[in-house]
Amino acid sequence: MKSEEEILKAIGERLKAIRIEKGYSSYETFALDHDLGRMQYWRLEKGEANLTMRTLIRVLAIHRMTLQEFFSEGFN
């Protein structure tokens, strides 16, 4: 079983990959364009933030992605 830190890091890596896939090379630009705190979003991608479901749902809504879609890859 993965530790909490490993899970948060994997979520952050997935968020970063999706952001880049959507054409945002910079986390700062993504955060500013979507009214997210730059440092908070950076910490999410680094797996250093205590991620809440509300925050994850908000970020996934920006990407027009469901929780099921998000967790379908790489979270076995």
Side-chain angles (χ1 to χ4, degrees):
M1 184 171 187
K2 291 183 179 183
S3 70
E4 290 175 15
E5 291 81 19
E6 290 171 321
I7 293 168
L8 288 174
K9 185 152 180 73
I11 290 171
E13 289 170 359
R14 178 97 163 100
L15 288 173
K16 181 178 180 179
I18 293 166
R19 170 182 53 81
I20 291 169
E21 181 181 299
K22 299 289 182 170
Y24 284 92
S25 59
S26 165
Y27 78 88
E28 290 178 309
T29 302
F30 177 79
L32 290 171
D33 283 357
H34 298 287
D35 198 29
L36 301 168
R38 288 180 302 133
M39 288 307 295
Q40 178 192 15
Y41 189 77
W42 176 81
R43 291 181 69 225
L44 290 177
E45 284 193 0
K46 293 295 182 187
E48 297 177 1
N50 186 10
L51 179 65
T52 65
M53 286 302 294
R54 183 179 304 272
T55 300
L56 181 58
I57 290 167
R58 181 176 177 205
V59 171
L60 294 182
I62 291 167
H63 291 302
R64 298 177 187 206
M65 179 177 273
T66 66
L67 286 168
Q68 293 82 5
E69 291 167 331
F70 180 77
F71 286 109
S72 68
E73 292 185 27
F75 290 96
N76 301 331

